[in-house]
Amino acid sequence: MPIKYIPYTPEPIEGQALLDNFTRTLRYKGNYDIKGKLIRGMPLYEMQTVETFGDKEKAKQNLVIRGECVSACAYLKEKGILVDLVYIDPPFASGADYSKTVYIRQNPKLAKALKQAEEELEIEDLKSFEEKMYGDVWNKEKYLNWMYENLCAIKSVMSETASIYVHLDYHIGHYVKILMDEIFGEDNFRSEIIWKRATAHSDSGFFGNNYDMIYFYTKSDSAIFNTIFQDYDEKYIARFKYKDPDGRLWDSGNPTAKGLQGGGYDYEYDGYRTLWRYPYETLKKMDEEGRLYRTKNGGIRTKVYLDELKGMPCQALWTDINAVNSQADERIDYATQKPEALLERIIKASSDENMLVADFFGGSGVTAAVANKLNRRFIHCDVGINSIQTVRDRLIAQKETPNHVRGDVNFSVLEIKDGVSLFRNPVQTMEKLKSLVPGLGKMEGLSDFWAGCIESIKDGTVPVYLPDLKNSECKILDKPFMSRILHEHLGNLPFTPSRVIIYYVDVVDISEIEEFVKADKSTLAKIEFRDLKELLDDIVIEDTADFEVSEIQEELIPEYKLTIKSFMSDRVMRHINAYNQKCELNSKGKKFKPIVISEEGLELIEWISVDCTATEGEWHSDSEIKIDKLGFVIKNGIKTKEFWDGAIKSETKPLRLKIRNICGDETVWKV
């Protein structure tokens, strides 16, 4: 249950109606459903600190939050934290499913043999399979309600000088633009940025959609904006055809004020009288510095040097930033990853150093990583554990920059305790939930609202509702939502049920909901309410590991070595077995090479950390290693060309061990 609800907007002044700014201009089915939630406010949940990196005080200014956008905004508003710039790259309602490639790591024994032979594995030699990260499959109306609620929440935590950039594409962008006009005001719309993210599509049936749009709004007229300059094109540079003896290129400039608003300075200079744009003393100084030249007819012109110009002010058409290709150094194999150059331009334009930059659909963590490099504070928020792990590892491993020294990384990893124990991400959690409801099956003609039906000898066909964890509007069961179930979804069933099962994550007051159903009298079916958290508790089955700790002596300095003797993950093995079965079916009798895991199972490990500080509570990563897909070790964020030997070392005795398998699940053991 939420601790309380936080208003979406500041409290209204006396005499002002609370919902004056919630009048909907975009009319579509269900667009009034959001009204009750906006009146109720953002749910505030307990926040747990999972990990802290660097200086504890500085780490409080940089947050990596696992949870939903609305709940994160409730926390920020409760803490009085205002953000200065927001960039979000939310789902595009494109109908696409996004997956990540999961690479099987090398058995340390094989890695040792490769090292002795001074060989390296090629990418083509690696064994891998695909795992679904999230599905961008939305009903348009639900998507727009979801976006409206998120945008209102985000606006609630924006400072008066803040800006917001919303990254979308042609599927839904034009609808969201109208929502943003309503929420942020048409007068605060600044640009529709067109980013050419790909070259021409040779397979396009019509005109290829090779661009995204980024909608840029400000909170007010006083928003921060720094002009970004780009290099001049060759056509413009060709204008600089004059050259000084020292090789400097220049073009002819006009020193007169003719045609300029505001007038100029009327005087005679070197026998030439006109209205000048510079005072006499300035023009004379320019002449002494050799910045004036005389034309054949006696006129005076200025020299405009190419090397003194800042560049062309950036326009709203961005064709000079390439998408992250397969060979890019910054590529981290994360679906929907955006290039750092894109975020660098946005962050430099709409924030100054030490300002707070937020991304509430953080994904690969590019916003946080670039903000940190540019000496800004950051907030990264996402519901997927892979996103949190990716940005965590990315921040730790950041390269040195003039303002960023390796190791000088300060941030906190937080988790919103909203009762939803997600398994990796909402999509995979929903798939597992359906398998945990005894007897649940599909039924032809049943709408997507229902998870399925249970066939009961006593009650016949029983429809079952599971809250969609991908959609925050389904999280809380209240009277408006219950009314929709009674009057819309029950009425659309292809049969008349005698019993209905409704699972919920949170409920305002279950006895109040039961009384509401009883008083409604629109159905004779018995409504049975069940707490979804009882199912969620059964989703995460921990991995198993066998390990031993020994004290060693390295260059006269005592160290501890924790060796992983064996590791097993039922969850990952189910994926691998399913992959092998699918390949065998598709092979059509031809030989194929299945993925085979060694008896020790160490190929299933991606990352290991030991806590030498505490036996419980917040995690302290006193020593950690990450095994990349080629088998090389990244030690405490620093890449090496060493192969993993199956162990991890620490200066002091380990108290806890944490292992992340190749799919992203993490399990903790006491040592």
Side-chain angles (χ1 to χ4, degrees), residues 170 194-201 204 207-212:
Y170 66 93
I194 301 299
W195 173 46
K196 182 185 175 185
R197 54 171 170 71
T199 54
H201 291 180
S204 298
F207 298 111
N209 294 300
N210 62 342
Y211 67 91
D212 290 347

Side-chain angles (χ1 to χ4, degrees), residues 265-397:
Y265 303 89
D266 187 1
Y267 58 86
E268 180 180 317
Y269 185 81
D270 197 19
Y272 190 82
R273 188 178 188 88
T274 187
L275 199 63
W276 304 95
R277 68 173 64 198
Y278 309 107
Y280 179 86
E281 293 76 11
T282 302
L283 197 66
K284 183 180 179 181
K285 185 178 180 182
M286 292 172 66
D287 198 4
E288 292 171 350
E289 293 174 349
R291 291 177 174 270
L292 300 183
Y293 78 98
R294 274 69 177 174
T295 63
K296 293 180 180 180
N297 60 5
I300 298 177
R301 304 284 290 180
T302 59
K303 293 182 178 181
V304 180
Y305 288 98
L306 177 61
D307 59 12
E308 292 182 345
L309 299 179
K310 293 182 178 179
M312 181 68 71
C314 186
Q315 306 299 298
L317 178 61
W318 296 358
T319 61
D320 59 328
I321 297 176
N322 296 322
V324 181
N325 62 51
S326 59
Q327 304 303 315
D329 290 339
E330 65 184 88
R331 185 176 180 85
I332 53 176
D333 292 325
Y334 194 98
T336 72
Q337 179 184 351
K338 298 302 183 290
E340 291 191 2
L342 185 74
L343 270 298
E344 182 174 331
R345 178 170 295 175
I346 289 171
I347 291 171
K348 284 183 175 179
S350 291
S351 71
D352 295 330
E353 289 195 4
N354 298 314
M355 284 189 167
L356 182 56
V357 179
D359 188 340
F360 294 99
F361 301 91
S364 68
V366 62
T367 304
V370 174
N372 196 42
K373 286 181 181 179
L374 296 177
N375 199 27
R376 271 74 166 172
R377 295 174 291 130
F378 60 84
I379 294 173
H380 170 103
C381 177
D382 202 286
V383 295
I385 189 62
N386 293 117
S387 170
I388 303 304
Q389 293 166 348
T390 299
V391 71
R392 174 204 180 277
D393 297 350
R394 187 172 188 168
L395 288 168
I396 291 174

Side-chain angles (χ1 to χ4, degrees), residues 510-630:
I510 192 63
S511 59
E512 183 180 282
I513 298 298
E514 290 172 339
E515 287 298 321
F516 174 79
V517 172
K518 186 177 179 181
D520 184 89
K521 297 180 180 180
S522 60
T523 180
L524 296 176
K526 177 185 177 183
I527 309 294
E528 181 181 333
F529 297 101
R530 295 182 181 179
D531 192 337
L532 186 68
K533 291 187 283 296
E534 295 177 5
L535 281 182
L536 289 169
D537 290 340
D538 295 331
I539 282 185
V540 180
I541 305 170
E542 294 189 336
D543 297 333
T544 59
D546 184 20
F547 53 88
E548 64 181 12
V549 178
S550 58
E551 187 174 356
I552 60 175
Q553 202 82 10
E554 288 281 338
E555 298 179 357
L556 302 180
I557 300 174
E559 278 190 316
Y560 288 86
K561 181 179 180 181
L562 190 152
T563 303
I564 311 296
K565 298 166 68 177
S566 65
F567 177 80
M568 180 52 62
S569 172
D570 287 337
R571 291 168 288 183
V572 180
M573 289 307 301
R574 280 198 293 268
H575 274 288
I576 292 173
N577 292 335
Y579 171 83
N580 287 338
Q581 290 173 12
K582 182 179 178 181
C583 288
E584 186 175 14
L585 289 172
N586 293 336
S587 66
K588 297 180 180 179
K590 297 180 180 179
K591 287 186 177 181
F592 82 99
K593 194 173 182 180
I595 295 176
V596 178
I597 303 301
S598 69
E599 186 177 343
E600 295 84 4
L602 302 189
E603 305 97 309
L604 305 181
I605 296 176
E606 175 186 83
W607 174 89
I608 303 172
S609 171
V610 290
D611 184 344
C612 307
T613 305
T615 57
E616 58 184 18
E618 181 181 339
W619 185 262
H620 305 82
S621 188
D622 294 305
S623 179
E624 66 178 65
I625 62 171
K626 186 175 182 179
I627 304 99
D628 71 14
K629 59 189 178 186
L630 290 174

Side-chain angles (χ1 to χ4, degrees), residues 417-458:
K417 308 304 291 182
D418 58 3
V420 182
S421 300
L422 290 175
F423 170 72
R424 296 186 197 151
N425 58 58
V427 174
Q428 294 180 13
T429 306
M430 288 302 300
E431 291 175 353
K432 286 195 166 288
L433 276 176
K434 292 178 182 180
S435 68
L436 292 176
V437 179
L440 184 66
K442 294 181 180 180
M443 177 181 179
E444 189 175 347
L446 200 67
S447 74
D448 292 338
F449 176 83
W450 301 98
C453 292
I454 297 172
E455 294 300 329
S456 167
I457 297 175
K458 178 182 177 183

Side-chain angles (χ1 to χ4, degrees), residues 482-519:
M482 194 64 229
S483 179
R484 283 181 55 195
I485 295 176
L486 293 173
H487 299 109
E488 182 180 340
H489 298 291
L490 280 178
N492 291 333
L493 286 171
F495 59 92
T496 302
S498 61
R499 178 168 161 242
V500 178
I501 298 175
I502 305 293
Y503 280 93
Y504 62 86
V505 177
D506 273 328
V507 62
V508 176
D509 185 331
I510 192 63
S511 59
E512 183 180 282
I513 298 298
E514 290 172 339
E515 287 298 321
F516 174 79
V517 172
K518 186 177 179 181

